[in-house]
């Protein structure tokens, strides 16, 4: 079981932007010519299980919704982590993670995170977590809504071949507002340009179980 906290940004981007990042047999889930792109920066709260027991790790993930063998799941464009042992474990499970320098911290109602690889900025995000009665209401509502849109599979890659990995997700979230953002790598890859996130969540807890 993997438990994290952090930020999730949800974008809707033109389908043609993702086509070059898909392996053979993987097709994007398209809504009105748009594909849902998730940008996540996460910090571990508690990791348990063979190969990850007690590890501390921070992640930067870019994922889209896609289909493989008729099953919908999260498909990774890039997965980064800052713990070599966790990267090795991820690869063994079908999560093709790459080592990067990632920082994450929370100060009162603000979240600061950044990621670099070979001294090159991948992403920098600062966000304010909304608090108050409305946010409290949304915080109770969003997990219910998210549970309806969570996908039950991850489209992983083992030995250069796709494999559908059944997963279970549950989360507790609050709305957040971006105060500063530089998604340099996604812009360089051509996945993002002028698009703005449709949703920004502060993830108080997200739990992933690989079934």
């Amino acid at each position: 079981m993997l438990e994290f906290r952090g930020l999730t940004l949800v974008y809707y981007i033109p389908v043609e932007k993702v086509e070059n990042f898909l392996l053979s047999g993987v097709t994007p889930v398209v809504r009105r010519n748009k594909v849902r792109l998730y940008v996540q920066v996460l910090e571990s709260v508690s990791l348990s299980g063979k190969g990850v027991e007690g590890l501390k790790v921070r992640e930067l993930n870019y994922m889209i919704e896609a289909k493989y063998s008729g099953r919908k799941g999260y498909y990774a464009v890039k997965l980064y982590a800052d713990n070599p042992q966790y990267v090795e474990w991820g690869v063994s499970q079908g999560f093709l993670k790459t080592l990067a320098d990632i920082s994450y911290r929370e100060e009162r109602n603000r979240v600061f995170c950044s990621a670099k690889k070979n001294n090159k900025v991948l992403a920098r995000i600062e966000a304010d977590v909304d608090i108050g009665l409305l946010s409290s209401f949304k915080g109770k509502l969003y997990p219910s809504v998210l549970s309806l849109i969570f996908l039950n599979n991850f489209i992983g890659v083992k030995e250069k071949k796709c494999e559908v990995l059944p997963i279970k997700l549950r989360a507790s979230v609050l709305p957040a507002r971006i105060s500063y953002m530089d998604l340099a790598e996604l812009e360089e890859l051509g996945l993002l340009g002028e698009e703005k996130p449709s949703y920004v969540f502060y993830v108080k807890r997200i739990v992933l179980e690989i079934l």
Side-chain angles (χ1 to χ4, degrees), residues 141-151 171 173 201:
L141 176 65
Y142 285 172
S144 299
V145 174
L146 283 172
S147 68
L148 298 176
I149 65 172
F150 275 150
L151 302 180
V173 303
F201 299 119

Side-chain angles (χ1 to χ4, degrees), residues 24-68:
S24 177
V26 179
T27 58
V29 174
V30 182
R31 300 174 180 85
R32 297 180 181 178
N33 203 42
K34 298 288 181 72
V35 177
R36 192 178 280 156
L37 168 70
Y38 300 87
V39 179
Q40 291 183 321
V41 183
L42 302 173
E43 178 181 61
S44 63
V45 174
S46 174
L47 305 183
S48 59
K50 185 178 180 180
V52 298
E53 190 73 41
L55 293 183
K56 299 293 183 183
V57 66
R58 287 163 288 273
E59 295 187 337
L60 169 65
N61 303 319
Y62 314 139
M63 299 182 296
I64 62 169
E65 292 187 5
K67 284 184 179 180
Y68 182 72

Side-chain angles (χ1 to χ4, degrees), residues 115-129:
K116 293 182 180 181
K117 184 171 177 58
N118 298 325
N119 292 319
K120 185 177 182 180
V121 173
L122 303 173
R124 285 183 59 202
I125 305 171
E126 297 178 12
D128 297 295
V129 182

Side-chain angles (χ1 to χ4, degrees), residues 79 89-96 154-158 163 165:
L79 301 174
W89 170 84
V91 171
S92 73
Q93 298 298 307
F95 305 104
L96 291 188
F154 187 93
I155 302 171
V157 180
K158 285 187 177 181
E163 184 173 317
L165 310 171

Side-chain angles (χ1 to χ4, degrees), residues 51-113:
V52 298
E53 190 73 41
L55 293 183
K56 299 293 183 183
V57 66
R58 287 163 288 273
E59 295 187 337
L60 169 65
N61 303 319
Y62 314 139
M63 299 182 296
I64 62 169
E65 292 187 5
K67 284 184 179 180
Y68 182 72
S69 296
R71 299 166 71 183
K72 265 200 294 191
Y74 299 101
Y75 178 81
V77 177
K78 293 282 186 75
L79 301 174
Y80 293 103
D82 68 349
N83 184 310
Q85 186 176 338
Y86 185 77
V87 168
E88 183 178 344
W89 170 84
V91 171
S92 73
Q93 298 298 307
F95 305 104
L96 291 188
K97 297 181 180 295
T98 301
L99 194 64
D101 297 315
I102 303 172
S103 66
Y104 178 96
R105 76 179 194 276
E106 297 182 7
E107 294 181 5
R108 296 185 179 180
N109 298 321
R110 301 201 78 187
V111 179
F112 304 84
C113 41

